[in-house]
Amino acid sequence: MPVSLRSKIKIGFAVAFTILIVVAALSYGSTLTLLRAVDHEERAHEVIVTLNGVLANLNAGEGSHRGYLITGDSSHLVRHRASIDGVRSGLNNLTVLTQNLPEAGHVRTFNALVENRLQEFVTRQRLRDTEGLEAAARAIRADTDDPHIYQQANTIQGEVRRRLAETQTRASRFGRVTLSVSMLGGLTAALFLCIAAIIILREVTARSEAFKALSDREARLNDVLENTGEMIHTANTDGKFTYVNRAWRDTLGYHYADLESIYTRDIIDPAELPRVQEVIRRIVRGRTQENLETVFVTKQGQKLIVTGNVSARASDDRQTVDIRGMFRDVTEERAVERLKDEFISVVSHELRTPLTSIRGALGLIGSGKLGTLEPKGQRMVEIAVADSERLVRLINDILDIERMESGRVDLDKSSGSIAEILARAADSVRPLAEKAKVTLSVEAAPGKLWCDVDRVLQTLTNLIGNAIKFSPPGSTVWLTAERDEHAVYFRVRDQGRGIPPDKLESIFERFQQVDASDARAKGGAGLGLAIARSIVIQHGGNIWAESDGKTGSTFVFTLPAYQTEGGQVTGPESGPLVLIAEDDASTAEVLQSMLASNGFRVALASDGRKAMEMARQIRPDAILLDIMLPEQDGWETLRQLKLNDDTRDIPVIIETGTEQPAFRIAEAPVREWLKKPLREDDVIAALRRATEPTDERPPVIVTRFPRG
Ligand code: ADP
């Protein structure tokens, strides 16, 4: 297991400190031992000196006592008593000095022996005083020095000296050990501290280098931010700016100093403010990002059209939310686009009107109602009719693609059956197929789609039309629609001449054809596939062609489909989570794709009981509840949801096919009744209202719901 740098330093310091503590403890112990040895020595000397003093006084006492016994001169007695006092005080000192020492027993014996001797002095003195000199002289002659006293004194001295030597030896040994350990420990601790210091030094150097690299990077990033042409700002949820770059300041005419007194709302056109605030509320709630085109107002009051995106993310301390905006001034672009639009609409109108009348006039001439033409003339008129029709188609296509690619075509989405869409597309080109002697084979998967049906039909018709155009008579064009978890795959396959691999991509661009003669030979101007691609991309799908360049080609496009089974959450990565409780698979699918394409995450439950269970598990931000549910109907599910602590606060939107239902439930007062049959916008608006944070009770909204 690798050891982190911090742990290494900690270990180094811990070892060094442990060693220092051991050395300190040893030194303390050794000093104490030395002090004790010194104390011991002093006491030993005192004992020996006192002992010798006692013996000397005893001798002196003995001498002066004998003097008295022989002479009867009482002055000897005075000296004798002084010596005896010395003996007694010496004995007392000895007892005190040897208290608690092993010699105390010997001292007690010594005291007793000396006491006996002193008693003998008293006896002899009494003999001298009562029986005279002769009796005392006899007693002196019979008297010898008591050898026991000196033996005992020697024993005590020997004992004291032996212990003194022992203590000194122990103290000096302990002292040597302490010295060695202290030296070794000190060196080791110093080594560890040095290692720790080196590691710290290295780390500090590495960090300061990393810090410098980071500062350099920050300076570079800052340089990029400051010099980019995009206006970039960050702000907090109160709308206070926390950063603005140079493009922002230059375009809007503000200085750094102004930022203290302005808020994000001050740079937004008042007419746009509610819409922008709604977007900000949404992104803050979902921590997401959204594209936004709006109007900014400069410090001088000039209005600028800007386009870009706003995003929200938790700040580094996770306490607040940073809102970031990145915008580009498109005022001029929009003005040019407007001019172009006006130009196109004028041109198309100006072109289409005379063209329609030319087409009408030629048609009239061609029909023979204005007189019969020569066969050659008739042929010319027919060519003119066909070409004027082609011109009308071309103008329509140009207008169409202009509108599609500038994103000004809103898809009118509704629910459509996959099989029905395919059948309608096939029907519309059947006359063409019959004329070209081409067989159409149609095979569609079950299920529904949430799409702009007319636009999908336009795409299909174009692909099938092309397939027929390029198919030899007697061949087949196959139309299929399959689906997987995420998408429906539409395929149009023919047995025509195929498309060379290097053209597979370019044919989707405007006015691009495999062969320049195709336009003349097969009709069309090379706009059909470009329009088809715009439509598919606007739906969030994809389109491509497959061919080996010899044996026919296959055009494939996908449209997003959404899973109808299981409890998992689908849709975008973030955004409010909606639980759809709906037993009808098609309706569920339609709702799911509708919500997902509006930024909601979705989970499905196919009956009331499952809905209740999942609501407790995944805690959605809102529940879309069907009333006619199996297992447990919608009203009962609503009651259960409102009785359960975990789910009580989840807003519920009820879908019902009937008008205002006759019965309500006490646990869940209904906040809104949306009476009219709803369309996508209303459902989304109701969901947005329901998922908005509010202090009120979570709403229950009842809608009459469109059935797909
Ligand atoms: P057009 O209106 O001219 O058909 P499209 O954009 O639909 O324009 O097609 C562009 C070109 O792609 C056609 O002119 C033709 O060259 C080629 N192409 C399209 N479909 C097929 C096909 N099924 N087989 C062979 N070539 C095709």
Side-chain angles (χ1 to χ4, degrees):
M1 198 180 62
V3 183
S4 74
L5 181 87
R6 194 175 279 261
S7 310
K8 276 186 204 160
I9 292 174
K10 274 188 190 160
I11 292 169
F13 274 107
V15 171
F17 278 117
T18 313
I19 292 171
L20 287 179
I21 286 169
V22 170
V23 168
L26 274 176
S27 306
Y28 179 71
S30 148
T31 312
L32 270 189
T33 316
L34 273 175
L35 285 176
R36 239 182 260 136
V38 170
D39 186 40
H40 209 98
E41 201 174 331
E42 274 175 13
R43 285 245 309 258
H45 283 304
E46 242 178 292
V47 168
I48 291 167
V49 169
T50 314
L51 197 62
N52 288 336
V54 169
L55 291 178
N57 273 327
L58 196 60
N59 266 338
E62 180 93 47
S64 50
H65 195 255
R66 282 192 186 174
Y68 171 72
L69 290 186
I70 295 164
T71 61
D73 181 355
S74 62
S75 68
H76 288 294
L77 261 188
V78 174
R79 280 201 302 282
H80 169 75
R81 280 198 199 100
S83 299
I84 296 307
D85 282 349
V87 168
R88 281 204 197 291
S89 99
L91 286 180
N92 275 343
N93 281 350
L94 261 187
T95 312
V96 173
L97 280 171
T98 56
Q99 219 175 17
N100 304 330
L101 291 184
E103 295 84 35
H106 295 301
V107 169
R108 265 195 304 280
T109 316
F110 178 73
N111 280 6
L113 290 172
V114 173
E115 254 332 305
N116 276 347
R117 190 76 184 149
L118 297 183
Q119 208 50 54
E120 257 173 49
F121 290 152
V122 176
T123 316
R124 266 188 253 154
Q125 190 181 338
R126 202 176 302 128
L127 212 59
R128 168 77 171 83
D129 292 345
T130 52
E131 293 177 28
L133 176 65
E134 200 46 44
R138 259 196 323 268
I140 291 171
R141 270 195 299 282
D143 187 26
T144 51
D145 280 346
D146 188 349
H148 295 302
I149 289 180
Y150 294 97
Q151 274 169 13
Q152 192 60 25
N154 282 340
T155 310
I156 292 172
Q157 279 198 21
E159 195 67 16
V160 166
R161 288 216 163 85
R162 191 185 56 72
R163 272 202 324 107
L164 182 62
E166 249 176 36
T167 315
Q168 281 169 337
T169 316
R170 206 178 318 128
S172 84
R173 200 183 311 133
F174 198 12
R176 275 199 304 279
V177 169
T178 306
L179 193 66
S180 319
V181 171
S182 302
M183 297 266 291
L184 204 68
L187 283 176
T188 320
L191 190 71
F192 272 98
L193 287 177
C194 277
I195 294 173
I198 290 171
I199 293 176
I200 290 172
L201 211 68
R202 270 203 204 148
E203 181 61 13
V204 166
T205 318
R207 286 200 182 183
S208 70
E209 273 164 18
F211 182 74
K212 193 173 164 302
L214 209 68
S215 320
D216 287 351
R217 219 186 74 179
E218 197 186 319
R220 274 200 302 278
L221 280 179
N222 203 40
D223 191 52
V224 172
L225 280 179
E226 280 298 289
N227 291 306
T228 179
E230 299 257 313
M231 294 186 263
I232 297 172
H233 73 253
T234 60
N236 61 23
T237 36
D238 297 336
K240 194 111 197 76
F241 289 103
T242 46
Y243 170 78
V244 298
N245 73 344
R246 183 170 339 143
W248 191 100
R249 297 191 302 273
D250 291 352
T251 315
L252 295 176
Y254 285 104
H255 296 288
Y256 264 128
D258 299 322
L259 296 182
E260 283 304 310
S261 53
I262 58 163
Y263 288 81
T264 41
R265 58 176 173 274
D266 297 320
I267 61 153
I268 295 164
D269 182 17
E272 285 281 298
L273 203 54
R275 190 175 69 88
V276 175
Q277 281 171 337
E278 171 62 29
V279 171
I280 297 207
R281 262 200 294 281
R282 242 184 352 252
I283 61 154
V284 168
R285 199 170 47 228
R287 304 277 191 279
T288 47
Q289 78 164 29
E290 275 189 34
N291 293 337
L292 179 66
E293 179 152 331
T294 184
V295 180
F296 280 180
V297 185
T298 66
K299 191 177 178 186
Q300 291 72 30
Q302 187 196 348
K303 290 190 178 176
L304 301 178
I305 304 173
V306 292
T307 188
N309 70 66
V310 275
S311 56
R313 63 159 206 140
S315 63
D316 294 339
D317 56 11
R318 311 238 141 247
Q319 303 290 319
T320 50
V321 175
D322 281 336
I323 299 163
R324 294 167 298 191
M326 211 182 281
F327 290 94
R328 194 161 52 86
D329 177 6
V330 290
T331 316
E332 274 179 28
E333 274 173 50
R334 294 294 176 265
V336 170
E337 271 165 24
R338 211 176 39 250
L339 269 179
K340 196 173 89 183
D341 284 354
E342 279 167 12
F343 174 75
I344 287 173
S345 88
V346 169
V347 167
S348 61
H349 184 257
E350 297 303 315
L351 277 180
R352 253 197 299 197
T353 320
L355 216 88
T356 318
S357 75
I358 292 171
R359 161 76 186 82
L362 287 173
L364 218 59
I365 297 169
S367 69
K369 284 184 187 148
L370 302 178
T372 322
L373 288 171
E374 291 285 310
K376 220 172 171 185
Q378 180 69 26
R379 175 83 194 111
M380 282 296 146
V381 170
E382 274 165 18
I383 291 173
V385 168
D387 276 355
S388 60
E389 275 172 358
R390 221 173 104 194
L391 210 54
V392 171
R393 267 202 313 277
L394 179 65
I395 290 172
N396 285 344
D397 279 355
I398 291 175
L399 288 176
D400 216 16
I401 195 148
E402 279 300 330
R403 281 209 312 274
M404 293 287 302
E405 297 208 336
S406 61
R408 274 170 295 129
V409 176
D410 280 335
L411 295 181
D412 182 13
K413 285 191 186 172
S414 62
S415 151
S417 137
I418 299 172
E420 221 175 280
I421 293 175
L422 218 54
R424 275 177 64 189
D427 286 347
S428 71
V429 291
R430 212 172 293 282
L432 202 67
E434 278 163 10
K435 210 169 140 198
K437 301 198 172 42
V438 169
T439 314
L440 286 181
S441 151
V442 185
E443 202 181 315
K448 291 190 171 183
L449 266 179
W450 184 252
C451 63
D452 186 329
V453 176
D454 285 342
R455 290 290 184 179
V456 173
L457 276 173
Q458 184 185 351
T459 307
L460 274 168
T461 320
N462 182 272
L463 297 182
I464 308 167
N466 279 349
I468 294 170
K469 266 196 298 193
F470 292 98
S471 285
S475 67
T476 305
V477 168
W478 289 271
L479 316 179
T480 58
E482 294 160 56
R483 56 168 304 160
D484 69 9
E485 246 174 71
H486 308 289
V488 179
Y489 290 75
F490 288 92
R491 285 192 174 81
V492 179
R493 182 157 76 85
D494 64 52
Q495 298 174 298
R497 65 165 197 212
I499 299 162
D502 62 325
K503 294 274 165 58
L504 285 173
E505 200 35 59
S506 63
I507 48 168
F508 288 96
E509 277 158 30
R510 297 180 195 193
F511 304 111
Q512 292 295 323
Q513 277 148 336
V514 170
D515 194 322
S517 64
D518 282 354
R520 246 167 295 113
K522 306 284 180 185
L527 283 173
L529 289 178
I531 295 173
R533 186 173 62 176
S534 277
I535 293 172
V536 171
I537 286 174
Q538 270 210 40
H539 274 87
N542 216 341
I543 185 166
W544 67 95
E546 296 165 357
S547 174
D548 59 3
K550 290 183 246 86
T551 52
S553 44
T554 307
F555 283 79
V556 191
F557 72 93
T558 63
L559 294 178
Y562 296 91
Q563 186 135 333
T564 49
E565 299 291 326
Q568 72 263 56
V569 174
T570 56
E573 275 181 14
S574 56
L577 175 58
V578 179
L579 174 64
I580 300 176
E582 170 65 69
D583 64 319
D584 178 63
S586 304
T587 310
E589 201 176 330
V590 168
L591 280 172
Q592 199 174 11
S593 56
M594 183 208 277
L595 295 194
S597 60
N598 278 285
F600 289 91
R601 289 179 303 138
V602 183
L604 279 182
S606 55
D607 67 53
R609 244 185 262 292
K610 274 192 203 138
M612 183 65 213
E613 212 172 275
M614 280 179 67
R616 296 234 312 265
Q617 267 172 26
I618 61 172
R619 308 278 174 92
D621 295 303
I623 300 173
L624 213 52
L625 183 64
D626 182 20
I627 286 305
M628 310 288 282
L629 281 179
E631 293 291 325
Q632 174 179 288
D633 77 5
W635 292 116
E636 180 51 27
T637 309
L638 177 63
R639 209 172 71 84
Q640 297 283 334
L641 285 168
K642 292 293 159 188
L643 283 176
N644 190 300
D645 282 347
D646 293 341
T647 53
R648 174 172 303 142
D649 292 337
I650 305 174
V652 180
I653 296 185
I654 294 173
E655 346 150 10
T656 161
T658 58
E659 283 293 335
Q660 186 159 327
F663 89 98
R664 310 178 184 188
I665 43 172
E667 291 83 0
V670 170
R671 189 168 81 179
E672 279 178 72
W673 294 88
L674 306 171
K675 293 213 192 70
K676 58 175 190 205
L678 292 184
R679 296 190 54 77
E680 176 171 351
D681 289 352
D682 302 317
V683 178
I684 299 304
L687 267 174
R688 293 238 155 93
R689 278 202 302 282
T691 50
E692 209 138 88
T694 164
D695 295 335
E696 289 174 35
R697 272 178 103 130
V700 172
I701 301 173
V702 179
T703 74
R704 264 192 72 204
F705 211 75
R707 292 279 165 168

